[in-house]
Amino acid sequence: MVTGSRTELPRLVVAAPASGHGKTTVATGLMAALRRRGLTVSGHKVGPDYIDPGYHELATGRPGRNLDPHLVGEDTIVPLLLHGAQAGLRPADVAVIEGVMGLYDGQIGGDGFSSTAHVAGLTDTPVLLVVDISHASRSIAAVVLGMATFDPSVRIGGVILNKAGSLRHSDEVRRALEPLGIPVLGVLSRDDEVTAPSRHLGLVPAAERPGAAGSLDHLADRLATSVDLDAVMRLAHTAPPLSGPTWSAEEALVGGLPDSGPPALSLSGPRRPVVAVAGGRAFTFRYAETVELLDAAGCDVAVFDPLADSALPEGTAGVYLGGGFPEVHAAGLAANRPMLAALRTALGAGVPTVAECAGLLYLCRTLDGAPMIGAVPADAAMSPRLTLGYRRVTAGSTNLLTAAGTEVTGHEFHRTTVTPGSGAAAAWTWGDSVEGFATPTLHASYLHTHWAGHPALAARFAAGVARAARAGRPSTGVDGRPVSGARVVLGHMR
């Protein structure tokens, strides 16, 4: 409910003392259990992670969304929260925000910047603390006390005890917590059936797990019987109204457009240019706002599956290859020769293409020896070393996505290497490092960016797509036919 410039939004943050305590299990289970009660639930994730929001989407039936001050700026957090809660057929009755790492863990050297506590403070949201009690009893009270008093501005309004060994065990913890005045809202016993499988970069995405929906049903059952959902909602209702505007893709673009209006809308004729966005099991990572910004800039977004489809969507005038796990699906990607050929044809004809991380690997000549598109003169391979961290980068040249000197925030998260790591014109520079490949029609790098924080990137890409559409560049597959499985997710296909 909106009153003046203040919006009522019941909400809570699900946090933990550290990674591995069960935040994703509890947050996703709460979303599903509350939805079963007939509530419309908005799911959010602190930090840049793409995988957890996929589970949130499965639980809520709405896109999972990220809240990361590093990627989008502090002033954009509340507007994005309100946007996520109000988008869709009806506004959310409650927003559940899953934290990242430990409650106070954020950007290294940033004194908690971009931490769960930081976002809880920016959004004035009470915290529900999940604590794994499997290896302690009374000592859990000391942990909770420390979490509650470390920063008095953070309000921990309840605790969920996870992985209890027995009723006797959880009762011992409850008694130790009583003097703190922080209520226990639920107890979950150990249950292997609610554990999501993991691999080299964390949880296996929901889109790659055929049994994910069944596991979620079981999890919702567990939460409904083991957690006091009425108490959870009472806690969510203690969150005060939020002040400020709701984020809008159209309004965000106003400051980023290179001319007076949405660039793609300058086309004559009834059709808007199509941006083909990679999806399917190999490309599951993209922020919901990326698609919304492209739509607002005048493009239709059509999702295609590089593993299964044989050609690009009809009318493709731009390509967006986001994140995912092509290294897991390299053999399947290599085996889909019609799609590789279609993309080679499109990129060779100058169809504007943006690639982030997984997309970069797909554009290389090879990935772990398997042939890929070959649009980037480099080879990719798995690495034992994890590359993980926030970045603040500068565009070294004027190219498809940026003007020279543009500063952007982003993050990297991968266990692969690309050799060489950059082209004649690098996509980004930071410190003494250069990374990625950039031309007037291509931008490919490891860096993940959130375009809600940098809408000029979306505007510039859409302008390039509009130019390509006006020029009539080839846009169908190698066989000249549109892909039958393409799906328009936003826009106005006519």
Side-chain angles (χ1 to χ4, degrees), residues 273-295:
V274 174
V275 175
V277 174
R281 291 181 301 137
F283 292 90
T284 55
F285 297 177
R286 63 181 175 274
Y287 297 122
E289 293 80 6
T290 298
V291 171
E292 292 166 349
L293 283 162
L294 289 174
D295 177 66

Side-chain angles (χ1 to χ4, degrees), residues 64-259:
R65 297 178 185 269
N66 295 70
L67 301 173
D68 190 318
H70 173 79
L71 294 185
V72 303
E74 291 178 295
D75 292 342
T76 309
I77 295 299
V78 168
L80 280 178
L81 173 59
L82 290 171
H83 170 67
Q86 294 174 12
L89 296 178
R90 56 166 291 178
D93 299 305
V94 61
V96 178
I97 305 169
E98 180 189 343
V100 60
M101 300 183 292
L103 175 57
Y104 297 105
D105 301 326
Q107 186 174 1
I108 298 297
D111 294 327
F113 191 88
S114 288
S115 67
T116 303
H118 185 197
V119 172
L122 291 172
T123 59
D124 205 354
T125 302
V127 173
L128 177 60
L129 193 69
V130 180
V131 185
D132 179 344
I133 66 169
S134 59
H135 298 293
S137 56
R138 284 180 54 79
S139 298
I140 297 300
V143 173
V144 174
L145 176 62
M147 301 299 290
T149 58
F150 182 80
D151 182 348
S153 70
V154 176
R155 180 165 64 91
I156 296 178
V159 178
I160 289 181
L161 308 180
N162 193 23
K163 298 185 182 179
S166 65
L167 178 60
R168 181 184 178 193
H169 177 204
S170 60
D171 283 348
E172 179 76 359
V173 179
R174 282 180 182 271
R175 284 192 295 272
L177 286 168
E178 283 177 1
L180 305 186
I182 301 174
V184 175
L185 303 188
V187 177
L188 296 170
S189 58
R190 297 186 182 95
D191 187 345
D192 291 338
E193 291 187 46
V194 299
T195 301
S198 298
R199 61 185 180 210
H200 61 289
L201 290 181
L203 297 179
V204 175
E208 294 187 54
R209 291 183 56 203
S215 296
L216 181 61
D217 284 340
H218 176 71
L219 177 58
D221 289 339
R222 289 287 316 281
L223 267 290
T225 57
S226 304
V227 174
D228 186 344
L229 296 180
D230 291 330
V232 168
M233 285 303 298
R234 286 195 295 271
L235 175 61
H237 276 281
T238 66
L242 289 165
S243 299
T246 298
W247 184 84
S248 157
E250 291 79 7
E251 292 179 6
L253 283 169
V254 169
L257 291 170
D259 45 44

